[in-house]
Amino acid sequence: MRADEKYIIGSLDTGLQMLEIMLDRDSVTVTDLASELGTGRSTAHRVLKTMENRGFVALSSSGRGYVAGPKLVEIGSPRCLDPQSRLRTRPLLNRVLEETGESVHSSLLLGAQLLVVDGRRSVHQVDIGLRVGMVAPAHAMAGGKLLLSMLSDDQVDALFPSDLLRLGPRTLTTRTALLRDLQETRERGYAVAIQESERGINSVAVLLSGTSWRDRMAVAISVPAERGSWEELMNLQERLAVIVSEESGRDT
């Protein structure tokens, strides 16, 4: 085997190891990768730049370190899709329904889409129905906006390269509006969607579980607008946050 063939294979191996690391981290630096892989900083930097050109990593908005790029976000299979995840969240969903009487769903991010994993239907005659299995544009959903807010602005830009699809009368249809909303969501710790996914439906979402983009899940309460005023949504958000905190404490 020629020396240059060994070098190419070695670089490929380094790149694959970097991808494995990126699947478990929100961000990494060149120094971190070089240290963990036992390689020089220049080698780590060259491989990172190659993966950046292919869309597998992206320079973070702060300019320090790299984050998962759009291609890696799209192909990375979320850990929380396994059957055990649904079993673990069942008691929480049941409790939310019991204490609020409103429809509640858990969801996860798949690229620019939100997948509804599980849910419970409200006790009211007028409700939104059960949405388990639904896939919808994340920018129009409370759970989607919550999970998008935990990505960097650069990642969001890459996921939404053009104007956004309008689903409801108040859907955010530009990236500028979406990024502004996501910043507000980061600051307050929960997401709100007022007739954004469809007319007459208001929702509020908080983080259910997860520590990285690959295993985070959101939990959202959705109500018809006729009984989902802003004040009521804030009450539901507070109750939801308490339930998630208490149920998470029982799992530890």
Side-chain angles (χ1 to χ4, degrees):
M1 182 178 293
R2 299 196 312 270
D4 60 342
E5 290 178 333
K6 292 181 180 179
Y7 175 77
I8 292 172
I9 293 173
S11 297
L12 174 61
D13 184 62
T14 299
L16 291 174
Q17 290 183 71
M18 286 184 179
L19 288 178
E20 291 179 347
I21 292 173
M22 293 299 297
L23 285 171
D24 292 315
R25 309 280 181 85
D26 277 331
S27 65
V28 295
T29 65
V30 174
T31 301
D32 290 338
L33 288 173
S35 175
E36 291 192 38
L37 299 178
T39 187
R41 290 187 80 259
S42 60
T43 298
H45 185 260
R46 284 197 304 271
V47 176
L48 277 170
K49 294 303 291 185
T50 299
M51 291 195 294
E52 182 182 10
N53 291 337
R54 292 289 184 179
F56 286 97
V57 302
L59 191 65
S60 70
S61 55
S62 67
R64 299 184 61 186
Y66 289 80
V67 297
K71 284 190 178 179
L72 190 56
V73 170
E74 289 175 0
I75 67 176
S77 177
R79 293 193 183 99
C80 41
L81 270 176
D82 64 280
Q84 291 300 317
S85 293
R86 291 187 64 174
L87 291 175
R88 286 192 296 270
T89 58
R90 250 180 216 170
L92 183 142
L93 297 177
N94 292 338
R95 182 178 169 187
V96 173
L97 175 61
E98 179 182 344
E99 295 189 17
T100 70
E102 300 293 355
S103 295
V104 57
H105 292 87
S106 60
S107 56
L108 56 85
L109 200 62
L110 293 175
Q113 303 293 311
L114 186 76
L115 171 63
V116 179
V117 179
D118 201 358
R120 301 291 182 271
R121 190 167 184 171
S122 84
V123 299
H124 301 282
Q125 185 175 0
V126 179
D127 73 345
I128 71 161
L130 198 60
R131 306 295 177 89
V132 176
M134 182 182 76
V135 177
H139 71 275
M141 313 290 288
K145 292 197 296 180
L146 178 76
L147 296 173
L148 286 173
S149 75
M150 297 180 181
L151 302 179
S152 71
D153 286 353
D154 291 337
Q155 288 171 303
V156 175
D157 281 342
L159 289 172
F160 300 95
S162 59
D163 288 344
L164 312 179
L165 179 67
R166 181 183 293 278
L167 297 179
R170 298 185 64 179
T171 305
L172 303 176
T173 57
T174 67
R175 287 192 301 179
T176 299
L178 176 62
L179 291 173
R180 185 167 53 244
D181 189 284
L182 296 183
Q183 181 56 38
E184 293 174 357
T185 298
R186 293 183 188 109
E187 292 171 357
R188 66 191 177 204
Y190 60 88
V192 178
I194 305 297
Q195 299 194 66
E196 294 179 42
S197 61
E198 60 186 278
R199 185 177 299 276
I201 300 297
N202 296 340
S203 304
V204 62
V206 303
L207 184 65
L208 173 59
S209 63
T211 57
S212 73
W213 64 269
R214 200 170 169 223
D215 61 4
R216 289 190 187 105
M217 294 184 71
V219 58
I221 293 178
S222 301
V223 297
E226 61 192 57
R227 62 170 188 274
S229 65
W230 182 265
E231 181 180 6
E232 180 58 24
L233 283 179
M234 294 304 96
N235 291 335
L236 290 171
Q237 181 271 322
E238 291 177 3
R239 187 66 236 152
L240 187 58
V242 169
I243 293 173
V244 169
S245 176
E246 291 179 353
E247 292 296 323
S248 299
R250 292 175 184 174
D251 292 338
T252 58

